[in-house]
Amino acid sequence: MRRTPGATPDRIPANWAGNIVFHAASLRTPATVDELRETVAASSSVRVLGSGHSFNTIADTTGDQVSVAGLPACVDIDPAARTATVSGGLRFAAFTGALHRAGLALHNLGSLPHISLAGACATGTHGSGAGNGSLATAVRAVELVTADGDLRTFERGDEDFPGTVVALGSLGVVTRATLDLVPAFDVRQWVYEGLPHAVLAERFDEILTSAYSVSVFTRWQGDEADQVWLKQRVGDPGPGADGAAPPVWHGARLAEGPRHPVPGVDPAHCTVQGGDAGPWHERLPHFRAEFTPSKGDELQSEYFVAREDGPAAFEALRAVADRIAPVLLVGEIRTVAATDLWLDPAQGRDSVAFHFTWVQDIDAVAPALAAIEEALAPFAARPHWGKVFLTGGDRLRELYPRYEDFRALAGTLDPSGTFRNDYTRRLFDRDPAV
């Protein structure tokens, strides 16, 4: 394997959760884009490491692992155009405050502000809200270093642009992204407890679209969902938007104090609840930027179905709840608006996402995954790329209409397979020439 002069053997031993031990020969942290270009051009095998908040081998390699966290930080805000060009390695918590101070905002955020911009977009990470696309839908241009060391920019409107944002690290190293912004806004957050499963099944779409962002947390036990988190944009209609939430809502009771998504866990790390209005970047995530939300000793999975199939998919999962609950810490149900990005799990359809946070025991979790994937098979469920799933490449080809287009794009931009690893080969290699 070719080596970059001066490379060090330093390595990141594992991902955030600790369930994946990395096999990289070295970790490169270039200090400039030119150094990054030289590093990539000199290597025959590269995978990019973001914040490490993935639960499978997507970032693993036996070659060179590259982090862009050492590149110069860039947060270039254009108030007139309502855009910001941001370094790909920056975590959301590192730049959302600057956007807010400029009077601007992203349309949505994920549960954690601790994840990197490039990594979150590359895997289709999302927040919640029937009108809110995944985080990647804010990207209007992406700059990346390709396998030959070239620096290329793809912009919205380019023929291949929809294949370059949710790209799984397969096309190159993202150095910067230009993001579309909206005017800054405030959010009130309310938590309700004890939503009857029967009511959720009957009023599924109504409940999940009742606020700007809605999360239903359930451990798939008994007859009730544990919590519903309503994130209501101030000024929008809906429960609690005026600062006075009803004490009972769809049979659920307004929480008497702050709550953590996992019942019984200290809510100190969670964002402010109880209707206290605050900036979008301090309310849309579930967890506060100044705290690590948990020790990381967990696994996660998530599956996306068409929104119209949400109620039936919910009932199908209830039918296998006895397989899910024993190894589950908590589940979450959210909505995501349709996108045109080729590998976005919400591509082409408004979606409901069923999320599962598991105990960290893959042998115990695997039977539950098999039961979930079988139950959701009639609904063409797409797994989250950065989490634990069993779905193989042949099935993914059926689930994504632009699957072959993405394979062709990867073959064009990376003909020698510099950015391939075992993960991408398992899901996308269908013949040796691609």
Side-chain angles (χ1 to χ4, degrees):
M1 178 182 296
R2 292 168 289 168
R3 293 291 180 201
T4 303
T8 70
D10 295 338
R11 297 172 56 239
I12 299 294
N15 65 341
W16 176 84
N19 68 302
I20 300 295
V21 176
F22 292 135
H23 299 90
S26 64
L27 173 68
R28 315 301 176 90
T29 307
T32 67
V33 172
D34 284 343
E35 186 181 342
L36 171 64
R37 295 175 65 183
E38 179 186 357
T39 296
V40 172
S43 178
S44 60
S45 180
V46 174
R47 288 300 287 178
V48 184
L49 181 68
S51 61
H53 200 272
S54 294
F55 297 83
N56 58 37
T57 58
I58 188 171
D60 196 19
T61 179
T62 56
D64 297 317
Q65 212 165 39
V66 172
S67 169
V68 292
L71 296 182
C74 169
V75 184
D76 185 5
I77 301 171
D78 185 336
R82 289 186 182 172
T83 64
T85 299
V86 179
S87 303
L90 283 184
R91 301 185 183 211
F92 282 87
F95 69 88
T96 51
L99 302 184
H100 183 74
R101 290 189 292 273
L104 297 167
L106 290 167
H107 72 286
N108 210 357
L109 290 171
S111 299
L112 297 172
H114 311 77
I115 55 179
S116 69
L117 171 64
C121 291
T123 54
T125 296
H126 59 96
S128 187
N132 301 323
S134 64
L135 305 184
T137 58
V139 177
R140 65 182 301 158
V142 60
E143 178 187 89
L144 52 84
V145 174
T146 54
D148 54 7
D150 283 351
L151 188 65
R152 297 190 57 176
T153 299
F154 294 84
E155 300 180 347
R156 189 180 295 138
D158 294 346
E159 181 179 2
D160 292 329
F161 175 78
T164 64
V165 185
V166 183
L168 317 182
S170 295
L171 306 182
V173 183
V174 174
T175 55
R176 303 192 302 176
T178 300
L179 308 173
D180 285 327
L181 305 175
V182 299
F185 55 96
D186 286 346
V187 173
R188 299 184 191 277
Q189 181 166 227
W190 305 96
V191 176
Y192 283 86
E193 298 179 300
L195 175 69
H197 278 153
V199 174
L200 178 57
E202 180 183 351
R203 305 174 192 171
F204 191 86
D205 198 65
E206 178 185 353
I207 288 170
L208 284 169
T209 61
S210 58
Y212 187 80
S213 171
V214 178
S215 291
V216 176
F217 291 99
T218 178
R219 288 173 291 171
W220 298 95
Q221 298 176 1
D223 298 324
E224 294 181 342
D226 297 289
Q227 300 171 10
V228 183
W229 289 34
L230 302 177
K231 300 174 189 282
Q232 186 63 57
R233 192 164 133 151
V234 173
D236 287 354
D242 59 357
V248 178
W249 177 78
H250 292 293
R253 306 168 300 280
L254 187 64
E256 296 179 352
R259 296 292 187 264
H260 190 283
V262 181
V265 176
D266 187 342
H269 295 178
C270 297
T271 48
V272 174
Q273 303 158 27
D276 183 14
W280 57 279
H281 65 290
E282 296 179 358
R283 296 295 185 275
L284 291 178
H286 296 332
F287 298 100
R288 296 164 63 181
E290 59 266 37
F291 293 106
T292 301
S294 73
K295 293 182 295 184
D297 49 352
E298 63 192 43
L299 301 176
Q300 293 184 14
S301 302
E302 188 169 34
Y303 296 90
F304 297 68
V305 304
R307 190 170 131 193
E308 60 264 27
D309 290 331
F314 174 69
E315 294 288 18
L317 290 171
R318 288 182 71 191
V320 295
D322 61 330
R323 307 284 299 277
I324 298 171
V327 289
L328 187 72
L329 297 177
V330 71
E332 183 178 7
I333 306 171
R334 292 175 285 180
T335 54
V336 190
T339 85
D340 65 349
L341 304 175
W342 295 351
L343 291 188
D344 195 316
Q347 188 276 331
R349 63 189 194 188
D350 292 333
S351 298
V352 172
F354 294 94
H355 185 279
F356 305 88
T357 299
W358 308 105
V359 299
Q360 196 189 75
D361 183 343
I362 189 60
D363 291 334
V365 169
L369 292 177
I372 289 170
E373 294 193 6
E374 182 178 2
L376 295 182
F379 311 110
R382 298 168 177 166
H384 189 295
W385 297 104
K387 303 184 188 298
V388 178
F389 61 91
L390 304 178
T391 311
D394 289 342
R395 179 59 173 158
L396 290 170
R397 183 175 183 273
E398 299 171 355
L399 295 172
Y400 285 91
R402 306 302 297 270
Y403 175 95
E404 292 295 349
D405 293 323
F406 180 78
R407 290 183 67 247
L409 180 60
T412 298
L413 293 181
D414 184 21
S416 62
T418 297
F419 296 108
R420 289 192 201 126
N421 67 351
D422 288 345
Y423 171 94
T424 62
R425 291 187 188 97
R426 178 174 71 87
L427 300 181
F428 291 97
D429 279 11
R430 300 178 59 83
D431 63 69
V434 179

